[in-house]
Amino acid sequence: QRMTDFTTYDDDDFLGKAAPSLAGLDFVNGDAVELKDDAVTVIVFFAKYDKGGNPAMVALSELNGKHEGVTFAGIATDPQKANVERFLEKGEFPVNFSIAFDEGRKVQNQYKEAGELQSIPIPLGLIVKGKTIVWKQQFAQIHPVDKTNFEEQLRRVVAGESLESAGNRPEVESSDDEDDDGAAVDID
């Protein structure tokens, strides 16, 4: 997947996986959030230092409350709790949902394993129905929330409808006959 390809494909490693518990998070803003069998939860991984991604937090705050029964929880990937507290105190990017600090990145690491990732890209939004991850969306300064189908996917999850599909990730063709420049290699 190219760095500029923000498409969530049907065969994404997150989809259909059990969502790790949020127990152990230190909620510094709002109430503690738990995953519940009969509920929809939006989990957002973010960091104070990611200035380009922070507008996603504002856009996601605008979605919070639009769908009955949906709970939003932000998980800060910052190295220190003080970073998260300053982010909230400064108020430059107002957030109206619960925000947690993940001491030792325990929960973050469990999600990283679930998605089979080397690291959690930020900001990252996950839609969890019950205790199963049903949608993943990467956001970025060049790929803001309103340029994705995240809100529509959330609406569909709440309504019990099928999600929009992008199909499976395209296979990248490679040829053993070519070197890195694409030129034919003579092995005689």
Side-chain angles (χ1 to χ4, degrees):
Q1 189 171 345
R2 296 185 331 252
M3 290 297 290
T4 56
D5 183 2
F6 296 101
T7 305
T8 299
Y9 294 102
D10 296 353
D11 57 353
D12 189 275
D13 289 325
F14 264 119
L15 305 183
K17 297 273 180 78
S21 170
L22 303 181
L25 290 173
D26 181 2
F27 281 87
V28 295
N29 181 51
D31 297 328
V33 175
E34 296 177 30
L35 302 178
K36 297 178 183 167
D37 290 330
D38 59 347
V40 175
T41 307
V42 172
I43 299 171
V44 184
F45 288 92
F46 77 102
K48 172 188 179 281
Y49 62 80
D50 180 31
K51 299 291 187 205
N54 287 335
M57 297 299 285
V58 176
L60 291 165
S61 287
E62 292 170 3
L63 287 182
N64 185 23
K66 276 191 172 183
H67 302 282
E68 190 173 330
V70 177
T71 302
F72 281 63
I75 300 175
T77 62
D78 294 282
Q80 298 177 347
K81 183 177 176 179
N83 299 121
V84 183
E85 292 169 336
R86 280 193 298 277
F87 172 83
L88 294 168
E89 287 168 9
K90 194 171 179 184
E92 182 181 353
F93 301 99
V95 178
N96 65 2
F97 51 87
S98 297
I99 299 292
F101 175 67
D102 185 13
E103 182 70 44
R105 297 188 170 140
K106 294 177 186 120
V107 173
Q108 177 184 340
N109 287 336
Q110 291 173 1
Y111 276 87
K112 188 170 65 174
E113 288 174 25
E116 300 180 27
L117 298 171
Q118 296 294 318
S119 64
I120 295 283
I122 54 170
L124 177 74
L126 300 172
I127 301 174
V128 178
K129 184 173 184 179
K131 295 181 180 177
T132 303
I133 300 167
V134 297
W135 189 250
K136 175 202 94 177
Q137 184 63 64
Q138 174 69 50
F139 305 111
Q141 190 169 9
I142 62 170
H143 193 67
V145 176
D146 66 348
K147 300 292 186 217
T148 72
N149 62 345
F150 190 81
E151 182 174 6
E152 175 60 16
Q153 296 294 59
L154 180 58
R155 184 199 68 73
R156 288 171 179 249
V157 169
V158 170
E161 299 174 5
S162 296
L163 298 181
E164 292 179 352
S165 171
N168 288 341
R169 177 176 281 112
E171 290 189 30
V172 178
E173 291 185 30
S174 64
S175 172
D176 293 337
D177 306 80
E178 297 180 357
D179 64 17
D180 292 338
D181 296 328
V185 177
D186 184 8
I187 54 174
D188 287 333

